[in-house]
Amino acid sequence: MARVCQITGKRPRVGNNVSHANNKTKRKFYPNLQKKRFYIEEEDRWVTLKVSASVLRTINKNGLSSVLKKAKAKGTLVI
């Protein structure tokens, strides 16, 4: 499975390693993804999502159902 957040769509970014001599080589910045099981009360089932740490904080703050609803409206939800 790709290193992509299933709620926000965050994916690896490309940048440079810069040495002391200012040599530049390509590298990737990966999102902080975690595999987490969530319980959806409306559907009475468990789902496993690969989400970024920032989304975990958002889910704790706003609730899973509202975060999923916003992601569906935005078009980034991948389940």
Side-chain angles (χ1 to χ4, degrees), residues 61-74:
K61 182 178 180 181
N62 300 331
L64 179 63
S65 58
S66 68
V67 171
L68 289 174
K69 207 175 289 183
K70 284 182 184 177
K72 274 185 188 171
K74 194 175 177 184

Side-chain angles (χ1 to χ4, degrees), residues 11-77:
R11 42 183 61 247
R13 311 260 321 185
V14 177
N16 289 314
N17 275 331
V18 181
S19 71
H20 186 67
N22 207 24
N23 297 328
K24 295 172 183 73
T25 57
K26 288 292 186 184
R27 64 159 293 183
K28 286 188 177 182
F29 294 92
Y30 293 105
N32 185 6
L33 295 181
Q34 310 294 325
K35 238 181 170 178
K36 181 86 171 116
R37 282 183 60 202
F38 295 101
Y39 181 71
I40 303 176
E41 293 178 10
E42 294 83 25
E43 299 178 17
D44 191 37
R45 69 184 181 114
W46 289 90
V47 292
T48 302
L49 297 174
K50 194 184 257 192
V51 294
S52 62
S54 61
V55 171
L56 286 175
R57 295 179 67 203
T58 306
I59 289 172
N60 285 338
K61 182 178 180 181
N62 300 331
L64 179 63
S65 58
S66 68
V67 171
L68 289 174
K69 207 175 289 183
K70 284 182 184 177
K72 274 185 188 171
K74 194 175 177 184
T76 58
L77 185 66

